[in-house]
Amino acid sequence: MSKELEFENSVKNILEYIGEDVNREGLEKTPSRVRKAFEFMCGGYKQDPKKIINQALFTSSNDEMVVIKDIEFYSMCEHHMLPIIGKAHIAYIPNGKVVGLSKIPRIVDVFARRLQIQEQMTEQICDALHETLNPKGVAVMIDARHMCMEMRGVEKICSTTVTSALRGLFKREKKTKDEFLSIVAQSLHK
């Protein structure tokens, strides 16, 4: 049996387990739709962040902070496979090279489109940029809502979790870190 059919049969089993009729009109194609949705939502496993960045590196004399704010993303928590919905704010200080701006949100998506915990995702994004760009510093801050906290469990609607990861000058120099925090502060909790 193919992996696709195994997945779809598993979805049918889940539907039956919760008390649904897998043969009713609205659910006939659901197993296939769920499989395709998971292939898309977990597509980050098949992507290499270093390849994405290396395709768009450019020589530059700029040595000032580059910030991309409010990068919307969705992920799924690895504990309950429920959505995490949030925004990433990323800064780096070039060290002879800059990366095409569209590549930064793509790196966020590479790691968001995996089963995740927010703390790890923040570190993974920061490390991928730090290792590939070799900048003077990288800062990543993520502000997200977790449906595993809102839809079940403690049911705390609209609570957010903020995580950060700092490398290089952002970690060593308070002034640099404070500048980044000042820039992203207006975006937090929007």
Side-chain angles (χ1 to χ4, degrees):
M1 180 182 305
S2 73
K3 290 287 185 187
E4 290 84 3
L5 280 177
E6 283 182 40
F7 186 100
E8 290 177 20
N9 285 336
S10 296
V11 173
K12 285 180 184 177
N13 289 336
I14 291 168
L15 291 170
E16 288 173 344
Y17 178 81
I18 64 172
E20 273 292 353
D21 174 4
V22 296
N23 296 312
R24 75 175 172 86
E25 182 182 17
L27 294 177
E28 285 177 350
K29 295 182 181 178
T30 295
S32 174
R33 288 186 193 110
V34 171
R35 177 184 52 79
K36 290 174 186 174
F38 267 79
E39 287 171 355
F40 178 78
M41 292 182 301
C42 296
Y45 291 111
K46 295 177 181 175
Q47 294 180 300
D48 181 350
K50 292 177 183 176
K51 280 185 182 177
I52 292 169
I53 293 170
N54 283 326
Q55 291 172 353
L57 280 179
F58 307 101
T59 301
S60 175
S61 61
N62 180 9
D63 64 354
E64 297 294 327
M65 190 181 303
V66 177
V67 181
I68 302 176
K69 301 186 322 177
D70 300 322
I71 303 168
E72 294 181 350
F73 73 88
Y74 63 87
S75 189
M76 289 192 300
C77 79
E78 64 185 37
H79 300 134
H80 302 97
M81 294 175 66
L82 290 172
I84 300 169
I85 303 163
K87 291 183 179 182
H89 315 284
I90 298 174
Y92 74 97
I93 301 171
N95 188 18
K97 296 281 187 185
V98 293
V99 65
L101 293 177
S102 70
K103 302 307 181 200
I104 303 276
R106 288 176 195 234
I107 297 306
V108 171
D109 285 344
V110 165
F111 293 108
R113 291 183 182 161
R114 299 174 180 188
L115 297 181
Q116 279 290 10
I117 60 171
Q118 182 176 330
E119 299 88 341
Q120 186 65 32
M121 185 175 121
T122 307
E123 294 284 331
Q124 290 170 334
I125 294 167
C126 194
D127 288 340
L129 292 169
H130 185 69
E131 292 166 12
T132 309
L133 283 175
N134 194 30
K136 295 178 183 176
V138 178
V140 176
M141 182 175 288
I142 293 180
D143 183 14
R145 293 174 59 195
H146 293 247
M147 294 306 109
C148 57
M149 283 183 51
E150 294 189 28
M151 296 172 65
R152 55 158 303 283
V154 296
E155 297 181 87
K156 298 301 176 199
I157 308 302
C158 297
S159 64
T160 64
T161 301
V162 178
T163 52
S164 65
L166 307 170
R167 303 289 182 269
L169 292 178
F170 289 99
K171 192 163 188 112
R172 290 191 308 266
E173 293 186 9
K174 182 180 180 339
K175 178 182 171 192
T176 306
K177 178 181 176 180
D178 289 347
E179 181 181 350
F180 171 68
L181 294 174
S182 172
I183 291 168
V184 301
Q186 59 196 326
S187 294
L188 292 176
H189 308 299
K190 276 187 180 177

